[in-house]
Amino acid sequence: MAQQTAELNAAVTQYIRDTFDDGLTRATPLWNHLSSKEGKKKQVGGIYLQFPIKLIKNATSGFISGTNAVVSADPSIQLQYGILNWKYHNFNTNFTLQDYNVAMGSSEAALDFFKGKSDGAIADAMREFAAASWGSSATNPLAFEGLTDICAASGVSYAGLTDTDYADATAYLPYISTDAIVNYSAINKMIDGVRVRMQQASTMNKKVIGLMGQPIYSKYKSAVQNQQIFMNESDVVKTGFTGFQVGDVTFYMDADALGTGTVGSTDNWCVIIPTDVMKLYYNFGFESKSPFDTDVQIPLQPIKSVQKYFSGNIVCTNRRLIAVNKSFTA
């Protein structure tokens, strides 16, 4: 019996460790990108997460005479630095004496019992990460600076920098659309706005995705259902998420996209993002085990806890290349 219990402990602990990181990639389209190989970036330690952002024009650049020009060798500061705090997350799955007592039948039944309990806890953690990627540290200081912060209005800082601090007032703002009617024209205008800014930033060949909540997704799809040239779901089925294409941009339905979905309300978001400007910086988590990951017996209680820890934050390196509409009517 002691050997069976030890084997069960080992099997359950290993299952959680193997499944948790993989499970985190299956949440929502945005979190799927952030936790993918292309969307996450290992950052080792430091007091803050610091990343360069170009906000100032090079003052020592310009056309000159070919015979008698006087050129400047003065330093020209072009980069500012965004600074974000590290954010921390704890995941744990607890098993009681009663759980072990119930599960001490056949090993297969026991593993199914613990697997079911573990999968439920992992699903809860996935929802926390996915929802936080759309959220704001203003409402939860311990959580990510998510899309709510990244797409904030003029005068609201992101990563310690505010657009109104610079001569070009739009240099640090997303492309903000105020159309209320969800149709092809409004969506295409947002795409064109992003593409123009990408040309100006010399990042034209980067992958771009669109994200909508269910109310906007359904309403837009219904609006263009008789114009099938805009629809191409076959290319997105393999991702595991529902989607369609407008031009060369794939739009996904994201369960955590902001909005109430109330008919007539104008608070339902659509966001268009070049994927390389949104990264998940992390130190501990995924394949990088933290020094506190453990399988522990809770003192003075008949409870075992499998614990994992994460440290990191979502970083947007160029919010100017994101397009957002917060005014669509569901």
Side-chain angles (χ1 to χ4, degrees):
M1 181 64 71
Q3 182 178 359
Q4 182 184 2
T5 303
E7 291 174 351
L8 181 59
N9 279 336
V12 169
T13 302
Q14 191 60 47
Y15 174 81
I16 292 172
R17 289 173 179 167
D18 291 345
T19 307
F20 181 70
D21 294 335
D22 178 60
L24 286 180
T25 68
R26 299 194 302 267
T28 61
L30 177 57
W31 185 255
N32 183 69
H33 158 66
L34 291 171
S35 58
S36 68
K37 180 179 179 182
E38 295 76 20
K40 63 179 187 285
K41 179 178 179 179
K42 175 73 173 177
Q43 182 78 24
V44 180
I47 299 175
Y48 300 104
L49 285 167
Q50 182 171 293
F51 50 98
I53 299 176
K54 180 172 171 57
L55 292 176
I56 304 172
K57 186 180 182 298
N58 183 1
T60 59
S61 171
F63 290 101
I64 62 171
S65 166
T67 57
N68 60 353
V70 177
V71 298
S72 173
D74 294 337
S76 177
I77 300 173
Q78 301 175 56
L79 296 178
Q80 300 288 11
Y81 287 87
I83 298 175
L84 293 173
N85 291 319
W86 287 95
K87 301 302 173 76
Y88 304 94
H89 183 273
N90 164 249
F91 161 86
N92 65 78
T93 305
N94 298 326
F95 301 97
T96 67
L97 176 62
Q98 182 181 34
D99 290 335
Y100 277 86
N101 185 70
V102 170
M104 291 307 294
S106 68
S107 58
E108 182 176 349
L111 284 176
D112 286 344
F113 177 88
F114 281 93
K115 177 179 179 297
K117 189 166 185 177
S118 301
D119 286 347
I122 290 170
D124 289 341
M126 285 194 292
R127 284 191 289 269
E128 287 178 352
F129 277 107
S133 64
W134 282 87
S136 169
S137 64
T139 55
N140 183 358
L142 298 178
F144 298 139
E145 277 80 5
L147 277 175
T148 300
D149 292 332
I150 294 168
C151 297
S154 176
V156 180
S157 68
Y158 168 70
L161 302 172
T162 305
D163 64 293
T164 50
D165 292 336
Y166 302 94
D168 182 357
T170 64
Y172 198 46
L173 280 180
Y175 176 90
I176 299 175
S177 167
T178 57
D179 289 324
I181 305 301
V182 187
N183 54 33
Y184 174 75
S185 176
I187 297 296
N188 197 54
K189 185 165 64 174
M190 291 176 66
I191 296 173
D192 290 345
V194 169
R195 289 299 186 191
V196 165
R197 292 186 176 199
M198 290 177 72
Q199 287 184 13
Q200 294 169 343
S202 301
T203 58
M204 193 57 195
N205 295 322
K206 303 300 183 181
K207 179 182 177 183
V208 180
I209 61 172
L211 302 169
M212 300 174 171
Q214 182 271 325
I216 296 302
Y217 181 92
S218 298
K219 189 158 189 174
Y220 178 78
K221 194 172 179 181
S222 175
V224 299
Q225 63 182 346
N226 295 323
Q227 302 168 333
Q228 295 299 315
I229 57 172
F230 302 134
M231 310 294 290
N232 184 358
E233 295 193 356
S234 61
D235 291 339
V236 299
V237 170
K238 62 183 179 181
T239 67
F241 301 105
T242 302
F244 59 80
Q245 289 183 311
V246 179
D248 60 346
V249 177
T250 301
F251 283 82
Y252 296 103
M253 180 169 60
D254 194 302
D256 292 301
L258 299 172
T260 62
T262 304
V263 175
S265 66
T266 54
D267 65 346
N268 299 285
W269 284 36
C270 171
V271 182
I272 300 174
I273 305 171
T275 55
D276 68 327
V277 307
M278 286 278 289
K279 298 286 187 182
L280 176 67
Y281 283 48
Y282 72 100
N283 185 12
F284 299 129
F286 298 100
E287 76 288 344
S288 179
K289 182 179 178 181
S290 89
F292 296 94
D293 288 2
T294 186
D295 174 15
V296 63
Q297 166 70 53
I298 304 298
L300 304 181
Q301 298 183 62
I303 299 175
K304 284 185 177 292
S305 180
V306 181
Q307 301 186 354
K308 288 182 68 67
Y309 293 84
F310 167 90
S311 63
N313 205 342
I314 293 174
V315 171
C316 180
T317 56
N318 195 340
R319 65 198 293 238
R320 177 175 165 77
L321 300 187
I322 292 179
V324 59
N325 184 302
K326 309 174 187 178
S327 303
F328 279 143
T329 302

